[in-house]
Structures are given as structure tokens and as C-alpha cells.
Amino acid sequence: MTRLFASDLHLDPARPEVTEQFLGLLRNLEGESGSLFLLGDLFEAWLGDDLPGALGETVALALRQLADTGIAIYLMQGNRDVMLGQSFCQAAGALLLEDPCLLEIHGSRVLLTHGDALCTDDRAYQRLRALLRDPDVRRNLLSLPEGQRRALAGEARAGSRAHQSRLSYEVMDVNPAAVEQVLRDADADVLLHGHTHRPGVHRLTVDGRERTRIVLGDWHSGSSVLRWDEQGYRLLEQPR
Ligand code: MN
């Protein structure tokens, strides 16, 4: 059984080539047995499941077709598509995962997370993150008309760019103490996340036990997929 993991595709109507590469990956998976995990920021922006747009509808349909062939599909919210919800997952034939989520893979305890919760040095962002996960705030945002939601999403992106330009490289990365804490709390061997767009495999020792942190890359200039089967895992990067 093969498990594929990807995150940070940032699908956007303005960049159809990324969507094409993603749809190509889905087509290649037909006939395989296994599961696909999309660990957040599948979309560059998500206004709500009631406003998927043509791109959201295309992606939901493609995921649904793949799910119908027997591949299990799991979605996690990222920071860009934090408003993604159950309706989209239903349309896509996918299950919505909590963040974080623990999985057992070939005897390893693997903790899946988008990764933004680990960037604890960015306090302002963590306050915003908590706010956008508050059920009342979400309900209020999702009840706004489309134009207002679009305007808010645009402001959020501009604000995020301005905010990030003031932060150092270190502050925008995961905090080592936060990484150790989640590995310890979950009693996990592996932490698998995206968000930072810094793909790699890192070894670390927590409480005398060797652990691994795997970081998925973004799809800005090509695909980044972690493939995990009986032989182990490989982080595969495919240029476009
Ligand atoms: Mn992210």
C-alpha cells in the first residue's frame, strides 16, 4: 500500500500550469491502491465551501473521480485555505483531518501537521491563527457576502506579505522547541509537515530517542511529493 503526501500546492486560477501538474498526478494514481494526503494550502485562497469557483469545482471533481477508484483521500486545512470545510471534502470524496493528526505507517508513529502551528516565534500570526479557528469567528466570516470575503482575503494576503517581509528567516521557520514538544506529546517517531516551503529530512533526538522531521516542499516550480510504501519513504521533487 502506497501513501502519498503533498502540501502547499497553492492552486490559483492565475497559475493553471500548477493545477495541470496536480491533475496529472491524480490521473497517474488511478489504478494504484493506497491513499493521498494533502496537508494544507491546497489552494492559494479559499473563501468558503459555498464559493469554490471554477478551480475549486474542477479540483473537487478530480479528487472525487480518484476517490471513486478506491484511493482514500485526506485533506487538512492550511493557513491559506483555513476556511476549507466538510462540504468541500464531501464533494471531493475526501476526509477532513484534524491538525495535528497521528498515523501509524509500517510501525512508525507519524504526526501530520500543516506546519504553521510550529512557527511559534511569529506571535502575531499565532494570534490570527487561533482567531480563524474559533467557530464563532468562522461562522461570521462565512456569512459575509462574496465581495466582502474576497476583499478580506486580499487584505489578509497583502498583510501577510508585509508582515513576512519584516520577519527574519529564522522567525518564519519552525521553532525547535515547538517541534520537540509536539513529537514528545504525540510520542511520535516522525513529524511530517509543509508550510515553510523548505523541503528536507531532518534527524533529531528527543528524550534520548531518534526522531525525524520531514518537510514537504511547495509546488511553485514543480511538484513535491513524499511517497511512502513498504520500501520506506522518498521525497520526490519533479520540475515542471
Ligand atoms: Mn502554509
Side-chain angles (χ1 to χ4, degrees):
M1 162 139 152
T2 302
R3 291 181 181 85
L4 290 187
F5 301 87
S7 70
D8 303 283
L9 289 91
H10 294 267
L11 299 179
D12 186 336
R15 290 191 295 145
E17 67 279 10
V18 187
T19 305
E20 268 318 302
Q21 193 173 19
F22 177 58
L23 297 178
L25 170 81
L26 299 185
R27 281 193 296 271
N28 283 339
L29 286 176
E30 282 180 24
E32 286 209 43
S33 79
S35 41
L36 172 67
F37 293 81
L38 298 168
L39 300 182
D41 288 357
L42 174 60
F43 296 103
E44 170 72 4
W46 194 254
L47 299 178
D49 291 358
D50 56 328
L51 296 171
L55 175 64
E57 281 173 6
T58 300
V59 170
L61 186 65
L63 288 172
R64 156 72 64 179
Q65 278 170 355
L66 183 61
D68 286 345
T69 71
I71 301 253
I73 299 172
Y74 302 93
L75 296 178
M76 189 178 272
Q77 297 164 339
N79 49 303
R80 300 299 192 129
D81 50 13
V82 64
M83 302 311 283
L84 202 79
Q86 294 290 356
S87 303
F88 177 80
C89 288
Q90 246 164 37
L95 272 175
L96 188 61
L97 295 178
E98 292 288 318
D99 182 356
C101 168
L102 187 74
L103 196 66
E104 180 135 350
I105 307 179
H106 304 299
S108 288
R109 290 170 63 85
V110 181
L111 191 68
L112 311 177
T113 181
H114 177 58
D116 55 329
L118 302 168
C119 300
T120 53
D121 294 329
D122 187 351
R123 306 258 173 135
Y125 171 69
Q126 292 303 329
R127 282 195 294 276
L128 177 67
R129 185 179 189 277
L131 192 69
L132 290 174
R133 275 153 204 274
D134 180 299
D136 290 333
V137 172
R138 293 176 70 87
R139 219 176 357 259
N140 287 333
L141 282 172
L142 289 172
S143 68
L144 294 173
E146 177 175 356
Q148 279 185 46
R149 275 191 260 172
R150 206 169 282 288
L152 276 174
E155 277 171 36
R157 262 190 287 177
S160 157
R161 267 195 297 274
H163 176 63
Q164 285 182 5
S165 69
R166 289 191 295 269
L167 298 179
S168 69
Y169 190 80
E170 287 73 27
V171 168
M172 282 193 288
D173 202 356
V174 296
N175 175 288
V179 166
E180 287 188 15
Q181 192 62 49
V182 293
L183 280 164
R184 183 178 291 127
D185 288 349
D187 188 25
D189 304 294
V190 177
L191 177 63
L192 173 55
H193 70 85
H195 180 67
T196 59
H197 302 198
R198 298 173 194 183
V201 177
H202 309 271
R203 312 275 174 203
L204 65 157
T205 304
V206 180
D207 299 341
R209 182 161 131 215
E210 187 169 314
R211 327 264 184 144
T212 307
R213 179 170 69 94
I214 306 173
V215 188
L216 299 162
D218 63 62
W219 282 48
H220 195 72
S221 54
S223 65
S224 176
V225 172
L226 184 83
R227 191 182 180 99
W228 200 329
D229 56 26
E230 286 76 9
Q231 270 96 59
Y233 61 76
R234 277 167 301 158
L235 191 53
L236 305 166
E237 312 249 298
Q238 183 119 42
R240 193 156 47 238

